[in-house]
Amino acid sequence: MNSVIIENISKSYGDVLAVDDVSLTIEKGEIFGFIGPDGAGKTSLFRMLTTLLIPDKGNATVEGFDIVKDYKKIRSAVGYMPGRFSLYQDLTVEENLHFFAAVFGTTIQENYNLIKDIYVMLEPFKNRKAGKLSGGMKQKLALCCALIHKPKILFLDEPTTGVDPVSRNEFWDMLGNLRKEGITIVVSTPYMDEANKCDRIALMQKGKIMETDYLKNIISRFPRKLFAVKSDGMFVLLNELREYQFANSVFSFGDSLHYSDSRENVTKDNILEYLNTKNHGNISIEEIEPNIEDCFMDLMSK
Amino acid sequence: MKRFFAFVVKEFKHILRDYRTLLILFGMPIAQILLFGFAITNEIKDAKIAILDFSKDNVTQEISNKILSSGYFLLYKNLNSIKDIEPAFKEGIIKEVIIFEQDFSKNLSKSNLANVQIIADASDPNLANMLIGYTSSIILDYQKDLSSGKSLPPLINTDIKMLYNPNLKSVFMFVPGLMAVILLLVSAMMTSISIAKEKELGTMEILLVSPLNPLQIIVGKVIPYFFIALINYIIVIVLAKFVFLVPINGSFALLVLESILFLITSLSLGILISTISNNQQTALMISLSALMLPTIILSGYIFPIENMPLPLQIISNVLPAKWFIIIVRGIMLKGVSFSYIVVETLVLVGMTLFFILLSVKKFKIRLE
């Protein structure tokens, strides 16, 4: 069963092509992540799926409803959390929740079990104005408000942007729990490390989907061997590796460089050999498993 | 219905929690009417004048006394020669000099003709006009007194009567305009800002992705401001009637009904503005520059439309406030019945329908 079916959708603003011929399907009950940098077209895609924008080309259905013709039905069926905090700052936590429950024709009590885990964390602040909450709390409240009418599918546009790492983890745990309730969760994020919290992901760049699959499948398709390289002079090392005739890509990752080689049967000794001619101290080379960022970089360079 | 009710409750909360705006909303009408009532006046009171009397006989004395006892003028000094006039004006205190010719009384009784000259400081032309008007009417009045009881026909008989505002009380003139401005400000400006605010803060995005339909959103936005404007309106009426004693010569019910009509016109204008503005600032700028300013200047609120150049007179027709001011002046001051203001009422109804139709057409059910 599919929750969302997107067929060849495009959207442009003037000359800027925001979403470029995107097609994919999202299954019922999965956590699907759109991962890509700012300006990749994630928000435009979300707004089309939530009926806020009309695509220039192509069509899509959400829960079986056409996003243009059946927009009213979609609007009652989905929960939507925009990228920007969009609750009423001058209303309290409880009032916001009450308002959104009433707007969707339900009550807090009716669907309390769905939001219970999240709401207990908010409860001590229930009489505080929403504008005075911390970033993480705001996101939790926004999630509660998007959930209160028990939507079949939840669209979360960059819910963890600007939120501290602890709150981010908590937030993903909550999404994991919601998945158990059978709610399809479509989420977008610029953080690559959140990819492993999703069931399936789509890597997005400049309006195009570069790859859609399970994370491990995407990683297994990484075409080359990858090494983590370190030495005393990291900056010089970066330049020298880039000058190496067999180098495919060299990127800086935290305290090491991720180096991929264009040769098929390369070993770390080959690289060591080259670097030894260059006068480096404390060289360490290790073959590693690529992570999602490596894959993204690789796909981007294509 | 429950949805809609929740929405209206939310709107009231927004308004009631914004103390500053609330203070302005209710303080402004009171401040405005007090200002216009007490401070800004077109009336003359205790204008300082100088008198140059070459004759110094009993007639000039009587005329002078009559002028000075009118309450409009205050004698600042007596002048002795023509040369004193210029310096007296340059002092900047006196606004007018009255000059009686030599042998004033003799001339009057001998040849039935005596000359008095009035010189006014026309750097403020309106004031100068009024001063001269007041002075000459007092002199004419004296002339009439003089001629009565005599067999000779009156020398000049000019009947000056200030219709509808016999005391030239400017507050009578301002109240109708003030009502228009306040109703417009509260309804049009506040409604447009409040809808634009939802767009600016991004909450419109979630309201759109909800079962609320556009009509519920708009009407829900409008209702609280309808009541606030109504309360303001009552404050203005009460102040006008009991503090400034502005008469309501016509039917009070008719006045209220017409005002509610204008209120709806203003609200629909506010909705229209909000459909074309994406943030509060734009809504505010459009309301202020395209609505408030023309209304204050061109609607006949302060400046009479008849005195404007023809192009501006034509433009003034598109302002709802112009028609409303005509209606209110008609009902309050002239005491006319509905049949005299049918055209104006129909114009307002037409404008309202036009604004509503246009806003419904322009309201976006999506983001673009």
Side-chain angles (χ1 to χ4, degrees), chain B residues 28 116 139 158 183 186 197 237 272 279 293:
Chain B
M28 189 193 52
V116 56
I139 295 173
T158 315
L183 290 181
V186 174
K197 190 175 172 186
I237 284 268
L272 185 62
N279 54 50
L293 215 59

Side-chain angles (χ1 to χ4, degrees), chain B residues 5 7 23 33 42 85 142 197 211 221 257 266 279 292 294 296 332 346 357 361 365 368:
Chain B
F5 185 67
F7 192 85
L23 192 72
I33 192 162
N42 282 341
I85 296 174
Y142 177 79
K197 190 175 172 186
K221 282 273 169 200
L257 283 178
S266 313
N279 54 50
M292 294 308 297
I296 289 174
M332 287 184 82
L346 285 178
L357 270 177
K361 247 191 119 173
I365 52 163
E368 53 181 17

